[in-house]
Amino acid sequence: MGGTDSVSLKRIVFLTVGTTSFDALVKVADTLEVKQELTRRGYTHLLIQMGRGTYLPAESIGEDGLLAVDCFTFSSSIADHLSSASLVISHAGSGSIFETLRLGKPLIVVVNEDLMDNHQSELAEELADRKHLYCAHPQSLHQVIVGMDLKSLLPYQPGDATPVAKLINRFLGFPDD
Amino acid sequence: MMNLLSVLQMDRFTPRFYIAAATDNMSLQKARVFEDSLLHKKVIKGSSAQFMQIYRSREVGQSYVTSVWTTLLATTHALWLMVKIRPQVVLCNGPGTCIPLCVIAFLFKVIGIRWSSIFYVESIARVKRLSLSGLLLYKLCIADQFFVQWPQLQRKYPRAHYVGCLM
């Protein structure tokens, strides 16, 4: 993305909507308000993975201290993008959420209110209550960015499937490992 | 699901049949990658896994009226698969794809064709309410063991086992 000596100063915000269409989030991320707040916070780049959405954000190379904005639809793996991000803004899909948390990246989950039966918000809210991430709606994203204190987020300990395996083995009569 | 399979001893659970919805493009690929990694790490000697697709009873957002027909179709397809496979263990995590298979496994048990143990792991995204699949399997007592990943669900559904987050 240009600028060899600015590599160490690059602070990327990675926004991902997974395989969904979440124009409301992409649109709000594209507003001057949000971009200015991200710049004020020291971020230099906003990379938007827009999935099946139809709204195209305005791309920018980020001159004069403005946020550089880039976007793409899909990639086979977002792991690299997550790894190089300083902040992740994600839709409420459990895959995205846990992939990000396992990498120890600060995360803002934005819930899509247009989805019917929005059980996804339960997961985001629960993890926010446990202080592992911030939770927002598209309209409150700016406010959340303004008020966030990333140092206050608690690291997420990866899950462990061995309790389930133990129960299954015991039920089937296998000896304990 | 892959996290769970990684901690189960593969020599106890073989041969393995992976079944995913016909419209799901990613899950079987993940399963293939997992099986390949087992071969690669020499955990298993030869490949004893098969990968199959099943018609879904209902797509997300599909009307409940047309769902009656698609469920019948899915159930017939499931019956065909279950007669072929006749598994001793059914391990599933929803969504609706697993329902016809679990119901048939349960019926096989009831009429004495094959005794299968049915294990259901509710999605990690279900914190306060069960999914429709989960609700059906729990209320009708179809699953032998029903696992939930959040304590709130265990309080609401006491026959479920709370196992913490798997991811």
Side-chain angles (χ1 to χ4, degrees), chain A residues 74-86:
Chain A
F74 296 101
S75 91
S76 53
S77 159
I78 58 166
D80 291 336
H81 297 297
L82 290 174
S83 297
S84 54
S86 303

Side-chain angles (χ1 to χ4, degrees), chain A residues 19 94-95 98 102 117-120 122-123 125-127 129-130 156-169 171-172 174-177, chain B residues 3-5 7-9 12-13 26 88-89 91 117-119 121 123-129 144-145 147 150-152 161-167:
Chain A
T19 54
S94 52
F98 286 105
R102 277 203 297 268
D117 177 31
N118 204 350
H119 77 86
Q120 277 187 340
E122 281 179 19
L123 177 63
E125 283 159 14
E126 178 68 24
L127 291 169
D129 283 345
R130 294 177 181 224
Y156 173 75
Q157 300 304 328
D160 179 18
T162 38
V164 188
K166 259 203 182 120
L167 287 167
I168 290 177
N169 280 322
F171 184 86
L172 294 171
F174 288 120
D176 277 341
D177 295 326
Chain B
N3 283 357
L4 174 54
L5 289 175
V7 296
L8 286 172
Q9 283 182 294
R12 291 176 177 174
F13 299 94
M26 291 180 3
Q88 290 157 298
V89 172
L91 184 51
S117 302
I118 302 169
F119 303 98
V121 185
S123 158
I124 199 170
R126 294 292 179 167
V127 180
K128 298 190 182 128
R129 295 174 298 153
D144 291 293
Q145 286 200 320
F147 302 110
W150 296 97
Q152 295 93 318
H161 295 273
Y162 164 54
V163 289
C165 292
L166 299 190
M167 296 235 284

Side-chain angles (χ1 to χ4, degrees), chain A residues 28 109-113 121 125 135-142 144:
Chain A
V28 88
V109 173
V110 183
V111 175
N112 190 347
E113 290 153 318
S121 64
E125 283 159 14
C135 187
H137 295 277
Q139 312 90 290
S140 67
L141 179 61
H142 175 250
V144 168

Side-chain angles (χ1 to χ4, degrees), chain A:
Chain A
M1 268 207 241
T4 43
D5 54 24
S6 63
V7 164
S8 54
L9 300 169
K10 216 165 153 179
R11 290 187 74 224
I12 304 171
V13 179
F14 179 57
L15 187 151
T16 172
V17 306
T19 54
T20 69
S21 161
F22 196 177
D23 282 344
L25 171 56
V26 177
K27 273 191 191 142
V28 88
D30 197 31
T31 57
L32 199 56
E33 225 185 14
V34 166
K35 289 192 280 198
Q36 280 178 338
E37 185 59 32
L38 289 175
T39 307
R40 200 185 70 78
R41 285 260 181 173
Y43 297 104
T44 56
H45 291 75
L46 171 61
L47 178 59
I48 299 177
Q49 180 266 317
M50 42 185 271
R52 288 186 293 120
T54 49
Y55 173 81
L56 266 175
E59 290 184 337
S60 156
I61 56 168
E63 349 151 83
D64 298 332
L66 287 174
L67 200 66
V69 181
D70 202 0
C71 72
F72 65 96
T73 50
F74 296 101
S75 91
S76 53
S77 159
I78 58 166
D80 291 336
H81 297 297
L82 290 174
S83 297
S84 54
S86 303
L87 171 67
V88 177
I89 300 176
S90 167
H91 74 127
S94 52
S96 287
I97 291 177
F98 286 105
E99 215 182 324
T100 308
L101 288 178
R102 277 203 297 268
L103 288 170
K105 297 290 174 176
L107 173 59
I108 303 175
V109 173
V110 183
V111 175
N112 190 347
E113 290 153 318
D114 294 333
L115 291 178
M116 284 178 57
D117 177 31
N118 204 350
H119 77 86
Q120 277 187 340
S121 64
E122 281 179 19
L123 177 63
E125 283 159 14
E126 178 68 24
L127 291 169
D129 283 345
R130 294 177 181 224
K131 305 220 186 307
H132 294 304
L133 50 84
Y134 282 102
C135 187
H137 295 277
Q139 312 90 290
S140 67
L141 179 61
H142 175 250
Q143 220 173 316
V144 168
I145 297 174
V146 167
M148 69 186 183
D149 173 16
L150 298 180
K151 294 204 195 68
S152 72
L153 289 178
L154 299 174
Y156 173 75
Q157 300 304 328
D160 179 18
T162 38
V164 188
K166 259 203 182 120
L167 287 167
I168 290 177
N169 280 322
R170 253 183 227 161
F171 184 86
L172 294 171
F174 288 120
D176 277 341
D177 295 326

Side-chain angles (χ1 to χ4, degrees), chain B residues 3 16 18 22 25 33 40 70-71 83-84 88 98 108 110 135 141 145:
Chain B
N3 283 357
R16 289 176 293 286
Y18 293 88
N25 299 318
V33 166
H40 188 70
T70 48
T71 302
V83 164
K84 259 178 65 172
Q88 290 157 298
C98 72
F108 279 8
V110 163
L135 211 53
C141 299
Q145 286 200 320

Side-chain angles (χ1 to χ4, degrees), chain B residues 69-81:
Chain B
W69 165 245
T70 48
T71 302
L72 281 172
L73 194 63
T75 311
T76 314
H77 191 199
L79 185 60
W80 165 245
L81 284 173

